[in-house]
Amino acid sequence: MEAIDDSPARSILLALLRRGDRAAVARRVSMRVDYERIPRRADAREALERSLEMLERANVVFLVRRRGARHLIDRVVLLDPAGLARHLGIARFADQAQRLENAVEQAVSMDMALTQLLSACVARWRRGESAFGLRPDEQTTRKAVERFALLRALLAGEGRGLDRRTFSVRTVGLSKALETHQGMLCQMLRRVGAEGESDEDVLARLGLERFMPQILASGGFDVHFPPPDADTWLPGTAFPYVCIDPTWFGGLCLRATGRRAILTIENLATFNRYVREIREPRHIVVYTGGFPAQTVVGFLRRLRDADPGAAFFHWGDIDEAGFEIVRFMERELEREVTPFLMCPVLLDTLGSAAGIAGEGRRLEQETLTPSPLPW
């Protein structure tokens, strides 16, 4: 049978096939022939009717003629979707979905959560629908494989301590892959249980950094730079604070100062005020930069291991996100973390004075004046 290359006929038949693929249940689907959209030239209408009649003789479609005008086609009914796809030279949505599923399963080691997520995507692809921005077409295969490879690696903890581009290169060989997929990738991560208010939070909780951030800290510690590069010490008591590169963590030494507290502070303005206004050399103050990245967590773990008796405190905004940071650090450090200047009484008094009331109210820590730790 000759190919269907007539533009009006092909447009009608493509729409008919896609409507059939999208049908939620197996049923006959049809398309009305709108002669007003067909060029008024006689040869154009003849070509359209000739193409449709050819497929009717092949039992691919059935043509419903207009009442009182049998020479005109009223509606085209789809009988054989697979046959129509062959004649049009295209793949059906179900075939494209199967191809995408096979490509992902062959390239990526799938656990139960990822398998269920892929199945949900395939169900949408079979209906011709986009799944997390991935459409069932020829151009999607590489994107789908990259996306699921990044998902698997993140959920397996392979991104912990890495910056995003290094992680991307190691996982799929492309430095900007994570940046390209980030929005929809984080939606998929949430679908399988990842937590975080923003995409940045989701990736940070999985240990991935935009870059390897340096630590801002102050207090009773020193960082030793051993030979041959140097034989010097960076004092943690330097005013107002010191900046510590993660590659220096191995030289961290605590000073013998008796009972020690470690205070983490969520916001930069408050951190700067605290280390300038409250000088407590025996304690250690660490800036978290909002939700603590894995580099910050790694630094806190070294402090915990160096002084198992140290008490941990956190000062953040008085809102759900602030207390979620406390819970997160308790899980990561396996230690009790006490909220500091975050009691509900402050929210009731200062929040009411500032006109903050009702559900979802919050009090930013910058509202408060730094005070010494009760330790």
Side-chain angles (χ1 to χ4, degrees), residues 14-245:
L14 277 171
L16 178 65
L17 180 61
R18 295 318 189 198
R19 179 176 292 185
D21 280 347
R22 290 189 177 100
V25 295
R27 60 181 177 84
R28 291 282 174 86
V29 297
S30 62
M31 288 287 297
R32 184 175 297 278
V33 177
D34 186 355
Y35 280 90
E36 294 299 322
R37 296 190 177 187
I38 300 170
R40 294 185 179 277
R41 304 188 320 271
D43 61 336
R45 295 194 177 192
E46 289 175 2
L48 165 70
E49 292 167 351
R50 186 170 57 250
S51 298
L52 297 180
E53 289 166 354
M54 177 186 67
L55 289 176
E56 184 179 40
R57 290 193 296 272
N59 294 319
V60 174
V61 301
F62 174 74
L63 304 181
V64 179
R65 300 286 176 169
R66 290 190 182 181
R67 292 181 181 180
R70 300 287 297 172
H71 63 289
L72 298 177
I73 300 171
D74 181 63
R75 186 173 294 276
V76 183
V77 181
L78 180 60
L79 301 179
D80 180 4
L84 180 55
R86 286 195 300 273
H87 289 304
L88 291 172
I90 63 172
R92 298 182 63 192
F93 286 140
D95 296 331
Q96 293 171 337
Q98 187 64 57
R99 173 179 49 78
L100 287 171
E101 183 178 23
N102 292 342
V104 171
E105 289 181 338
Q106 291 171 10
V108 182
S109 178
M110 308 284 283
D111 61 11
M112 182 62 70
L114 288 184
T115 298
Q116 292 175 348
L117 183 59
L118 178 60
S119 296
C121 292
V122 170
R124 294 185 63 87
W125 291 334
R126 288 182 179 277
R127 299 192 298 270
E129 299 172 0
S130 174
F132 300 102
L134 299 172
R135 298 186 57 81
D137 55 40
E138 296 291 339
Q139 291 72 40
T140 299
T141 303
R142 178 184 58 80
K143 295 178 183 179
V145 170
E146 285 179 6
R147 182 84 59 79
F148 276 88
L150 292 168
L151 279 169
R152 185 212 61 77
L154 284 170
L155 294 172
E158 295 177 12
R160 288 191 175 275
L162 294 179
D163 66 90
R164 300 181 183 189
R165 294 198 172 183
T166 300
F167 168 76
S168 294
V169 168
R170 291 185 182 180
T171 305
V172 297
L174 299 169
S175 64
K176 297 182 180 179
L178 189 134
E179 297 170 32
T180 300
H181 290 277
Q182 180 171 320
M184 290 298 179
L185 176 69
C186 289
Q187 285 190 29
M188 297 173 81
L189 286 166
R190 292 187 182 95
R191 181 72 175 265
V192 296
E195 298 178 346
E197 290 189 358
S198 66
D199 292 351
E200 297 297 323
D201 285 346
V202 170
L203 296 176
R205 295 184 190 209
L206 292 170
L208 199 62
E209 313 291 357
R210 183 175 294 280
F211 48 82
M212 293 292 284
Q214 296 175 323
I215 303 298
L216 305 184
S218 175
F221 66 89
D222 299 292
V223 179
H224 181 221
F225 298 93
D229 297 328
D231 191 8
T232 58
W233 292 82
L234 174 67
T237 52
F239 184 84
Y241 56 81
V242 295
C243 182
I244 307 168
D245 190 86

Side-chain angles (χ1 to χ4, degrees), residues 245-309:
D245 190 86
T247 59
W248 304 346
F249 286 1
L252 181 66
C253 302
L254 300 189
R255 297 181 180 181
T257 57
R259 296 179 69 209
R260 188 192 319 272
I262 299 169
L263 171 66
T264 58
I265 297 180
E266 179 180 350
N267 297 321
L268 184 59
T270 304
F271 171 79
N272 270 283
R273 283 195 64 187
Y274 195 95
V275 296
R276 285 170 167 81
E277 299 174 20
I278 310 294
R279 300 295 296 174
E280 296 181 307
R282 67 191 181 97
H283 300 324
I284 297 174
V285 185
V286 181
Y287 170 56
T288 68
F291 199 92
Q294 281 299 313
T295 306
V296 176
V297 172
F299 183 72
L300 295 173
R301 285 177 178 152
R302 286 186 175 269
L303 296 177
R304 174 202 64 189
D305 295 342
D307 187 354

